Amino acid sequence: MTAIIYFSRPFENLIDGKKEYLQVGNTKIIAQKIAEILSAEMFEIIPQIVYPKVYEEVVTQAEQEKAMNERPKYQPLSLNLVKHQNIYLGYPNWWGTFPMIVTTFLEENDFSGKKIYPFCTHEGSGMGNSINDLQKLCPDSIIHIGIPIRGSRVEKADIAIKNWLQHK
C-alpha cells in the first residue's frame, strides 16, 4: 500500500519574494494532488506546538531548531507503517533541508525496506540537502528521485507531478 506523509505550514509565507497569507500550506496542496492521483491515504505531521503565523518568526524558529538539533514533537498519526510499502514524503525546504519536525518523525519510525518518494516545496532552493539527509536517517530504505516544486507554482504543478509519478 501507499501512504502520503507530509508536513506543511499555512499562514504567512514568502511567495515570489512577497509575503502572502496561505489558508492551506503549499506542501499540503502537493500532497493532496498526489493522493488524488494515486488514490492513497494522507497523513499530516502536525506539530504539538503550532509554528508562528508570522513568516520571519517561523524562519527564526526553524533556524534555531536546526542549529540546536532540536526534535519538535508532533501529534500522533493514525498510521500503521507496516502495511505501507511506498511512502511519499512531503515537506517544505527550511534552511537547506526538511524541517526538524520531519527529522523527529523519521527517527521515531522504522522505514527499513520502504520505498520513499520525497517531494518538497521551496522558493528557489530546490531539494537542498534533503535527499542526503533522508539517506542518512533512513539507510535501509530505497530513496527515489524526488520532485522539488516552487511554492508559488503549486496550483500549476499537476503536469510536473503526473510526469514524476509516471517515471518513478
Side-chain angles (χ1 to χ4, degrees), residues 14 42 54 66 81 84 87 100 111 113 124 139 145 153 166:
L14 201 60
M42 284 178 39
V54 177
K66 187 174 178 188
L81 264 179
H84 295 92
I87 307 297
M100 294 307 290
F111 289 90
I145 292 173
R153 298 192 182 124
Q166 289 173 354

Side-chain angles (χ1 to χ4, degrees), residues 66-110:
K66 187 174 178 188
M68 302 299 287
N69 206 23
E70 291 180 23
R71 297 297 184 272
K73 298 196 180 309
Y74 56 90
Q75 296 176 15
L77 276 73
S78 61
L79 167 69
N80 179 359
L81 264 179
V82 173
K83 66 179 198 174
H84 295 92
Q85 187 59 29
N86 300 308
I87 307 297
Y88 287 80
L89 180 67
Y91 48 86
N93 183 332
W94 285 5
W95 293 102
T97 191
F98 38 76
M100 294 307 290
I101 194 166
V102 174
T103 301
T104 307
F105 176 75
L106 292 170
E107 289 177 344
E108 291 182 357
N109 291 279
D110 182 11

Side-chain angles (χ1 to χ4, degrees), residues 2 36 70 97 127 130 141:
T2 298
E36 185 177 322
E70 291 180 23
T97 191
M127 299 294 287
S130 65
S141 301

Side-chain angles (χ1 to χ4, degrees), residues 136-148:
K136 289 176 193 167
L137 287 170
C138 303
D140 298 322
S141 301
I142 300 162
I143 313 295
H144 288 265
I145 292 173
I147 183 170

Side-chain angles (χ1 to χ4, degrees), residues 118-129:
F119 61 97
C120 170
T121 55
H122 66 95
E123 270 309 308
S125 49
M127 299 294 287
N129 294 316

